[in-house]
């Protein structure tokens, strides 16, 4: 039985087509965008999917296959360039393509904005900053306007972060936001903008050819006040790491705590997702994956007023974390994390929380996708299959849902409106079962213990989805 409070749509997007005519695509993230929708009404479920319109003649890709999110009363599919696509969430029709460069100073913008409780949208993108050097702008889009005008037209830059490399910005997939601060983690994965801007027009160049790793730079952590927008000049540093997804950030007693799904080292994980590699025989895939960067869920803490403490002393006094921050002789503050989850070749990724209640606030639970070697293991029922996971970030206790030959996507949390606890609600996810009579199903799990509540099966194969949203 479908819980009575589930009355809406699960919207998902991901790659769905890997060739157009005789032209093949080469990377998982190059597949043409396919939107999916599970509608819930009166205990019944329907499934619908649709490809986007195919646009031609653009210098930068507009293939919005990464995420879907609301702006005002509208909904947009997004990738990681300057283009977002307005979609009709009922019919999945594409309405129009929007170039964010027409409104604000950015070169690209992430597919993981933060949305406040009043509908205000914040996002980050690299830009041309002061002195002809690259930087990163936090962009604010206001909520629904009383005059029904387009909120995007009123977009503005709130604050700017400097770039550790004046000529090559870091790859940015997400950022953190507390109630009063922004957190930006600048990793050593850099974008060669010259290659990036020409890769769509020059034969032989690919999106993945645009990335470079700069091990010497390590990782820089930037903090800025939200209102008024003000960059905080402290130089926070950490060892080299890859990063796609922030879990959550919050303030506590003069500190900012932020939890990340990281990848050890400076190598770019996307290098392991070429289709040629993924299509090899299974034993070759596993060998290839074992040398890839190792995943780890980490908690970092930064002090908001570190100047009062002496050099070499741990600046963090929160009693519940082992994360440290130490002032160095060169004026930088070195951060060492607390590890919240770590297991060989086992990733906790695509994290979700009770966003409505706890985004930017102290929290206890996060939900994610358990990945083995980036991709699901085809072996029999074993503990490190691709799974849905729940992690208590305070106690590090974990819960797991999994079934043989079943490959779920990112779980989305939907709060029970009559619930009290942080985990009073359900998780919605799409599961693919190759070879089954009904190879796709949407499953509803109890967010407290990951027990199954219901599933809705579809007799078509569904490609992998990356991100999405629940629309009440």
């Amino acid at each position: 039985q479908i819980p009575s409070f589930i009355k809406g749509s699960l919207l998902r997007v991901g790659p769905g087509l890997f060739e157009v005519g005789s032209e093949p695509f080469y990377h998982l993230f190059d597949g043409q965008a396919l939107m999916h929708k599970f509608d819930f009404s009166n205990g019944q479920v329907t499934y619908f999917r649709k490809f986007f319109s195919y646009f031609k003649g653009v210098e930068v890709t507009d293939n919005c296959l990464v995420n879907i999110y609301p702006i005002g009363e509208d909904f947009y599919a997004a990738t990681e360039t300057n283009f977002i696509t307005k979609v009709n969430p009922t019919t999945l029709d594409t309405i129009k393509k929007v170039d964010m460069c027409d409104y604000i100073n950015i070169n690209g913008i992430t597919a993981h904005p933060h949305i406040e409780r009043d509908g205000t949208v914040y996002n980050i993108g690299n830009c041309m900053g002061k002195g002809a050097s690259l930087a990163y702008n936090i962009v604010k889009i206001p909520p629904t306007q009383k005059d029904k005008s387009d909120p995007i037209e009123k977009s503005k830059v709130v604050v700017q972060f400097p770039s550790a490399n004046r000529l090559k910005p870091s790859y940015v997939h997400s950022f953190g936001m507390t109630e009063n601060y922004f957190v930006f983690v600048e990793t050593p994965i850099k974008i060669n903008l010259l290659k990036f801007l020409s890769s769509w027009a020059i034969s032989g160049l690919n999106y993945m050819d645009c990335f470079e790793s700069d091990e010497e730079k390590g990782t820089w952590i930037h903090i800025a006040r939200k209102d008024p927008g003000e960059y905080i000049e402290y130089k926070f540093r950490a060892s080299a790491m890859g990063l796609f997804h922030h879990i959550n950030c919050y303030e506590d007693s003069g500190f900012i705590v932020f939890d990340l799904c990281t990848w050890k080292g400076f190598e770019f994980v996307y290098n392991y997702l070429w289709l040629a590699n993924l299509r090899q025989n299974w034993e070759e895939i596993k060998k290839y994956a074992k040398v890839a960067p190792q995943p780890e869920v980490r908690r970092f803490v930064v002090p908001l007023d570190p100047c009062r403490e002496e050099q070499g002393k741990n600046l963090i006094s929160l009693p519940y974390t082992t994360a440290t921050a130490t002032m160095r002789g060169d004026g930088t503050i070195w951060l060492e994390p607390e590890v919240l989850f770590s297991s060989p070749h086992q990733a906790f990724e695509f994290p979700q929380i009770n966003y409505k209640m706890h985004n930017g606030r102290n929290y206890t639970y996060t939900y994610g996708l358990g990945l083995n070697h980036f991709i699901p293991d085809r072996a029999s029922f074993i503990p490190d299959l691709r799974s849905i996971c729940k992690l208590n970030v305070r106690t590090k206790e974990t819960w797991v849902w999994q079934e043989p030959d079943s490959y779920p996507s990112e779980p989305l949390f939907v709060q029970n409106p009559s619930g009290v606890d942080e985990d009073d609600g359900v998780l919605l996810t799409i599961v693919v079962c190759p070879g089954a009579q009904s190879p796709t199903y949407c499953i509803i799990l109890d967010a407290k213990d990951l027990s199954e509540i219901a599933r809705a099966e579809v007799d078509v194969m569904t490609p992998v989805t990356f991100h999405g949203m629940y629309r009440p």
Side-chain angles (χ1 to χ4, degrees):
Q1 289 190 329
I2 308 297
S4 60
F5 64 88
I6 303 295
K7 300 175 182 179
S9 301
L10 173 64
L11 300 169
R12 304 287 302 174
V13 68
L17 185 67
F18 291 96
E19 61 278 320
V20 174
S22 60
E23 179 182 351
F25 301 135
Y26 299 103
H27 195 273
L28 180 63
F29 288 86
D30 292 332
Q32 294 296 289
L34 179 61
M35 278 191 68
H36 309 260
K37 179 165 69 84
F38 281 90
D39 282 326
F40 301 88
S41 178
N42 299 320
Q44 301 297 309
V45 188
T46 56
Y47 171 71
F48 184 48
R49 69 182 181 188
K50 197 169 189 177
F51 280 103
F52 286 175
S53 299
Y54 183 68
F55 300 106
K56 297 182 179 179
V58 294
E59 294 182 357
V60 177
T61 183
D62 56 1
N63 183 31
C64 295
L65 79 165
V66 181
N67 203 359
I68 307 165
Y69 58 86
I71 298 178
E73 297 180 347
D74 300 319
F75 293 84
Y76 289 83
T79 180
E80 299 184 317
T81 67
N82 49 299
F83 292 116
I84 58 176
T85 299
K86 186 177 178 180
V87 296
N88 182 321
T90 302
T91 65
L92 303 188
D93 288 337
T94 55
I95 299 172
K96 68 175 180 178
K97 181 172 61 175
V98 176
D99 185 351
M100 293 301 295
C101 290
D102 293 341
Y103 305 98
I104 46 175
N105 174 26
I106 51 99
N107 297 318
I109 201 160
T110 80
H112 286 289
H114 279 289
I115 302 172
E116 294 203 309
R117 291 158 184 84
D118 68 351
T120 300
V121 177
Y122 290 96
N123 210 336
I124 188 172
N126 65 68
C127 66
M128 188 58 68
K130 299 176 181 178
S133 63
L134 289 165
Y136 310 87
N137 278 340
I138 292 284
V139 175
K140 178 180 180 180
I141 305 175
T144 302
Q145 302 295 290
K146 292 181 179 179
D147 61 3
K148 300 299 181 181
S149 61
D150 187 352
I152 293 178
E153 296 177 355
K154 296 178 173 60
S155 301
K156 66 178 183 179
V157 173
V158 177
V159 68
Q160 187 171 101
F161 296 108
S163 174
N165 187 318
R166 294 181 65 252
L167 302 177
K168 296 176 182 178
S170 287
Y171 172 72
V172 185
H173 191 82
S174 66
F175 68 107
M177 187 176 79
T178 73
E179 292 185 300
N180 298 291
Y181 294 89
F182 300 111
V183 177
F184 167 46
V185 179
E186 188 178 14
T187 72
I189 311 299
K190 303 297 180 182
I191 302 174
N192 186 317
L193 281 183
L194 183 61
K195 287 184 178 180
F196 181 81
L197 294 173
S198 60
S199 63
W200 318 109
I202 298 177
S203 177
L205 278 181
N206 182 282
Y207 179 61
M208 289 302 300
D209 295 324
C210 308
F211 295 100
E212 304 171 358
S213 294
D214 188 349
E215 182 180 12
E216 293 182 359
K217 291 293 182 184
T219 301
W220 290 80
I221 289 90
H222 303 271
I223 308 294
R225 289 186 181 87
K226 199 169 169 184
D227 186 18
E230 180 184 5
Y231 179 65
I232 296 175
E233 296 289 344
Y234 299 129
K235 299 176 181 178
F236 298 107
R237 298 287 307 276
S239 59
M241 62 182 169
L243 170 66
F244 300 107
H245 300 115
H246 285 247
I247 300 175
N248 197 16
C249 305
Y250 63 90
E251 303 157 41
D252 187 358
S253 306
F255 301 93
I256 294 178
V257 180
F258 54 102
D259 298 340
L260 312 174
C261 295
T262 69
W263 299 84
K264 297 178 183 179
F266 61 92
E267 193 174 7
F268 197 30
V269 171
Y270 285 178
N271 289 333
Y272 292 84
L273 296 176
W274 291 100
L275 294 176
N277 296 326
L278 298 179
R279 288 168 176 161
Q280 294 182 92
N281 71 69
W282 186 238
E283 292 305 316
E284 289 300 314
I285 290 177
K286 288 199 289 187
K287 289 179 184 178
Y288 192 62
K290 285 181 179 179
V291 299
Q294 293 301 298
E296 199 167 71
V297 178
R298 295 174 175 175
R299 166 165 288 182
F300 290 88
V301 182
V302 297
L304 289 170
D305 187 15
C307 294
R308 296 175 298 177
E309 304 290 349
E310 69 264 22
Q311 181 179 321
K313 180 182 177 181
N314 178 21
L315 307 178
I316 309 303
S317 58
L318 294 177
Y320 55 80
T321 181
T322 58
T324 63
T326 307
M327 183 76 74
R328 289 184 163 181
D330 61 0
T332 61
I333 300 171
W334 186 260
L335 305 181
E336 289 288 348
E338 175 186 4
V339 176
L340 300 182
F341 178 85
S342 182
S343 181
H345 309 292
Q346 181 73 29
F348 180 98
E349 261 289 357
F350 294 86
Q352 292 287 317
I353 62 171
N354 183 335
Y355 192 91
K356 183 177 181 181
M357 183 184 292
H358 284 277
N359 182 54
R361 300 173 178 174
N362 202 337
Y363 75 117
T364 302
Y365 301 110
T366 178
Y367 311 90
L369 192 59
L371 295 175
N372 181 38
H373 302 125
F374 307 105
I375 44 183
D377 196 327
R378 297 177 187 169
S380 58
F381 186 64
I382 54 177
D384 58 355
L385 269 168
R386 186 164 174 168
S387 57
I388 298 298
C389 303
K390 176 183 180 179
L391 171 65
N392 184 322
V393 299
R394 298 174 188 260
T395 66
K396 304 179 186 177
E397 183 181 5
T398 58
W399 296 257
V400 174
W401 175 92
Q402 59 186 21
E403 286 190 1
D405 303 315
S406 298
Y407 310 121
S409 58
E410 168 196 59
L412 294 180
F413 179 87
V414 181
Q415 186 176 1
N416 185 336
S418 62
V420 176
D421 296 336
E422 179 181 337
D423 56 354
D424 278 339
V426 300
L427 302 181
L428 302 179
T429 188
I430 300 176
V431 184
V432 180
C433 306
Q437 184 174 358
S438 297
T440 299
Y441 59 90
C442 176
I443 193 168
I444 303 175
L445 303 176
D446 188 319
K448 282 191 174 292
D449 59 8
L450 303 194
S451 60
E452 179 176 337
I453 295 174
R455 69 174 69 187
E457 297 178 327
V458 183
D459 59 359
V460 295
M461 178 65 79
T462 301
V464 64
T465 60
F466 292 144
H467 298 288
M469 63 171 291
Y470 173 73
R471 177 192 177 216

